[in-house]
Amino acid sequence: MTHAPEPRPTTPYERLGGQAVLRTIVDRFYDLMDADPAYAELRALHAADLGPMRDSLTGFFTGWAGGPRDWFASGKCVMSLHRPLPITPQTARQWIAAMHRAIDDVVGGRDPAIAAAMLDVLKQMVAGMAGGTRH
Ligand code: HEM
């Protein structure tokens, strides 16, 4: 019996909906950070103009999820970029809380499994940035 070739697995990038959806998550995340006093300490760590961060985080998510890798091709490393920052348990919690809301708002209703998977991996990264394993 012959089998058809296995189809190429769908990347998280495709399943999430590509760069436009990642950009919407990022915009929601920074809008929440900017407007909700629950994230005041996290907001205070960031520059007044969040525009460059919106572009950069969208670029990171794009390559990280399996899409075009331009952000990585520029030689950036997200863990190294955060090493000099004074990240505390409080600001790490605020980052995850705001990102949790943003992901739920944008993809949680349509695809709860990919929303949960994305959040789970981000929680592990944040734990690393907030003083867990440092290389
Ligand atoms: C642990 C909680 C985190 C805190 C407190 C934090 C804080 C910050 C701060 C203060 C900046 C610089 C902003 C500025 O200069 O205006 C930044 C940049 C950035 N962060 Fe985070 N971050 C956290 C977690 C993460 C995670 C988990 C990711 C990725 C999934 C991420 C992705 C980025 C990116 C892509 C940039 C832009 C870097 C650049 O282009 O220079 N951050 N973050």
Side-chain angles (χ1 to χ4, degrees):
M1 199 166 103
T2 54
H3 294 279
E6 287 287 318
R8 186 175 57 82
T10 304
T11 60
Y13 178 75
E14 290 162 328
R15 184 160 161 191
L16 282 158
Q19 194 167 58
V21 170
L22 293 171
R23 176 75 200 202
T24 309
I25 293 172
V26 167
D27 279 340
R28 178 77 180 129
F29 171 75
Y30 283 118
D31 288 350
L32 285 167
M33 186 200 288
D34 211 21
D36 192 329
Y39 314 118
E41 289 78 11
L42 178 62
R43 178 66 186 91
L45 285 179
H46 288 76
D49 179 7
L50 292 172
M53 291 298 110
R54 291 172 190 261
D55 291 344
S56 186
L57 187 53
T58 303
F60 170 81
F61 276 163
T62 296
W64 178 70
R69 294 184 57 81
D70 308 46
W71 190 93
F72 291 86
S74 72
K76 289 188 191 181
C77 164
V78 80
M79 297 306 282
S80 305
L81 284 167
H82 287 75
R83 207 159 291 135
L85 298 175
I87 295 175
T88 62
Q90 181 190 43
T91 51
R93 271 197 306 275
Q94 291 180 3
W95 197 99
I96 281 297
M99 189 54 79
H100 192 163
R101 281 174 70 188
I103 291 171
D104 272 359
D105 287 353
V106 178
V107 289
R110 170 168 56 83
D111 191 340
I114 194 79
M118 184 172 176
L119 191 71
D120 198 51
V121 188
L122 289 172
K123 279 183 182 166
Q124 292 174 39
M125 286 181 64
V126 166
M129 289 174 181
T133 318
R134 299 234 165 174
H135 300 282

